[in-house]
Amino acid sequence: MKVPSTRVIGLDFARAWAMLGMMIVNYVVILNAEHNGPDWLIALSSLFQGRASTVFVVLAGIGIAYMTKKARTSGDPALLQASRHVLWKRSLFLFVTGMFLYLGGWSGDILHYYGVYMLIASFLLVVSGKTLLLACSGILLTAQTLQLSLNYLQGWDPRQPFFEYLDFWTVEGFLRNLLFNGYHPVFPWMCFFLLGLWLGRLNLLNRSVRKKMLGWATALFVSLEVLSYGLIKLSISAVGSEIALFLWGTKPVPPNLFYVLSSSSTAVIIILLCVSFAEKFANSWFTQTWVKTGQLTLTHYVSHIIVGLGFLALIGKFENQTLAFAMLYAVGFFLFSIVLTLVWRHWFTRGPLESIMRKISG
């Protein structure tokens, strides 16, 4: 008798959407196309900034919670330690992979940060849900304090802020970038991973749980965006638009308190909607295709950098492109990734990089 699977395919469905969003953001930024288009397209592309990668990290936390559930609930020290060993090996694999991408010129890498999040999370597998949320609060408040007390632009090339980090390969510069003012610094991005660990302990297959969480997340998102807008308008005359946005904005740079809470809310909303959609249309070709693609996101992430950017360099369209071209290229490359997924999955269960990581970590 076959035991029904308890895998939440909606999480893989959400991973595919997060990957598409990250491709759009990365290609728009690297092609210097953020403002090279009509206002409506600029507004549309800005919706993905700092949100798609948030979904990606929250999903990573949920995945770790699911993977280590038996070790967490059994109370078996040996099983817990074995789970930690697996996570340590995977975190090292991701960290090293990210560093190779960085060496190749990809300064926007998220994988080496991801590896550090996983390492930290390995020591928090059995703490209570309340402790996870308290840790989130502590990390967020620490990050906000650092942003207000230190120079957030330190290390970035003043001629190209947030494009080139001048002292990344020094100990001080690397740690500053990793912990404080890189693209996805531990303070506060670790909050998203811990949020995922917390969400992964909930029964996301329970519709009433999803409905309740969706209501809270939507209310929080709307409240924060309205409050952010009001505070910016009220304080511009006193401190100027730049400082007002720095303090109250919900954009990813800097990742202040408003951004983290707003982005966390949207991540929860997107994930829960994806779980509901995939549950309702589980057998449709569209859902199954998206799910298979989401299961290969590590491979697709590396591919969209090496293959996607490599092709752009080959055809001489690596920079100063229109926003329309950047977004269409991102969507086109994602569709190309779907085709590769379907071909690969015809013969193999896991993606190439996913298989290597699993083989290394056990």
Side-chain angles (χ1 to χ4, degrees), residues 202-244:
L202 304 179
N203 182 7
L204 297 181
L205 292 173
N206 186 314
R207 294 184 182 182
S208 63
V209 170
R210 292 203 303 265
K211 185 176 180 181
K212 182 178 180 181
M213 288 296 301
L214 188 61
W216 280 108
T218 303
L220 180 60
F221 169 72
V222 172
S223 300
L224 284 166
E225 291 296 326
V226 170
L227 183 59
S228 168
Y229 179 83
L231 288 172
I232 290 171
K233 286 294 184 182
L234 288 172
S235 58
I236 280 180
S237 59
V239 298
S241 60
E242 187 174 339
I243 294 179

Side-chain angles (χ1 to χ4, degrees), residues 19 22 26 50 52-58 60 94-95 97-99 101-102 106-118 178 183-185 189 192-193 297-298 301-302 304-305:
M19 190 69 254
M22 288 181 70
N26 290 339
S53 49
T54 299
V55 175
F56 200 61
V57 175
V58 173
L94 293 170
F95 183 85
T97 303
M99 286 293 93
L101 292 176
Y102 208 103
W106 178 241
S107 60
D109 174 64
I110 194 175
L111 293 183
H112 72 286
Y113 294 103
Y114 189 108
V116 174
Y117 306 154
M118 189 178 290
L178 176 68
Y183 282 118
H184 310 96
W189 275 74
F192 301 127
F193 204 97
T297 48
L298 176 58
Y301 176 82
V302 174
H304 97 281
I305 297 166

Side-chain angles (χ1 to χ4, degrees), residues 336-357:
F336 170 70
S337 300
I338 289 177
V339 173
L340 289 182
T341 295
L342 295 177
V343 173
W344 183 269
R345 290 294 297 272
H346 184 71
W347 287 284
F348 305 100
T349 303
R350 297 183 180 89
L353 286 182
E354 286 80 4
S355 296
I356 293 172
M357 183 172 70

Side-chain angles (χ1 to χ4, degrees), residues 303-356:
S303 172
H304 97 281
I305 297 166
I306 297 177
V307 179
L309 294 181
F311 181 73
L312 284 171
L314 184 66
I315 63 176
K317 291 186 177 295
F318 196 72
E319 56 186 14
N320 296 323
Q321 299 300 315
T322 65
L323 183 56
F325 173 83
M327 293 186 71
L328 284 173
Y329 184 79
V331 173
F333 194 86
F334 182 75
L335 295 175
F336 170 70
S337 300
I338 289 177
V339 173
L340 289 182
T341 295
L342 295 177
V343 173
W344 183 269
R345 290 294 297 272
H346 184 71
W347 287 284
F348 305 100
T349 303
R350 297 183 180 89
L353 286 182
E354 286 80 4
S355 296
I356 293 172

